[in-house]
Amino acid sequence: MINEFKDFIAKGNVMDMAVGIIVGAAFTAIVTSLVGDLINPIIGLVMGGADFTAMYAVLAGDVPAGLGLEAARETGASIFAYGAFLTAVINFLIIAFVVFILVKMVNRVKAAAEKPDEVAPEVATGPSELDVLLEIRDQLAKS
């Protein structure tokens, strides 16, 4: 059983998947920072809000004006946190776009690796020795 487990772990697909998960976790932190630290402030500036992720609407209950999202949730009111949802959508779109670009680059590299080297066209250097001998033979046969 231990040997079977070693064979399973040593397969390329399992190792590729493990590397993908680790890189994906690190990439998620980068994208979260990109969205939270760079994109959301710009969107918040355009939309007139200081913090995009803290945007919400009160559906039911009383929430004092100016409370942050977490403080509004603690009041027990029914909160529609559209800012957090839009942040999740933005995160998804950015991740999907970056994955698309990465897959496109990998496919381009694969295609270049599978493409046979360009063969230089054969340069015409005149008739070959065989062609000359055949021509001489033909001339001798005519005479």
Side-chain angles (χ1 to χ4, degrees):
M1 179 169 308
I2 292 177
N3 287 332
E4 287 178 287
F5 181 70
K6 286 180 186 177
D7 291 341
F8 173 75
I9 292 297
K11 286 185 180 178
N13 294 341
V14 174
M15 297 306 286
D16 291 344
M17 184 179 66
V19 169
I21 290 170
I22 292 168
V23 170
F27 186 70
T28 299
I30 291 171
V31 171
T32 301
S33 175
L34 174 72
V35 172
D37 300 332
L38 301 177
I39 293 176
N40 282 346
I42 293 170
I43 293 174
L45 181 65
V46 170
M47 294 186 70
D51 184 12
F52 182 65
T53 57
M55 293 183 171
Y56 64 91
V58 179
L59 298 177
D62 291 328
V63 176
L67 283 184
L69 178 62
E70 292 305 316
R73 284 182 174 160
E74 289 176 6
T75 64
S78 180
I79 302 296
F80 183 70
Y82 62 91
F85 175 74
L86 290 177
T87 300
V89 170
I90 291 169
N91 283 342
F92 170 76
L93 292 175
I94 290 171
I95 291 170
F97 180 73
V98 171
V99 168
F100 168 74
I101 296 298
L102 289 175
V103 168
K104 190 174 179 177
M105 287 181 356
V106 167
N107 287 341
R108 187 177 297 150
V109 169
K110 277 186 179 180
E114 292 173 357
K115 183 178 178 184
D117 292 335
E118 293 292 325
V119 178
E122 193 171 309
V123 178
T125 58
S128 68
E129 185 179 337
L130 180 61
D131 292 336
V132 172
L133 289 173
L134 290 173
E135 189 177 327
I136 293 171
R137 182 196 69 187
D138 292 343
Q139 290 295 328
L140 289 174
K142 288 181 184 177
S143 22

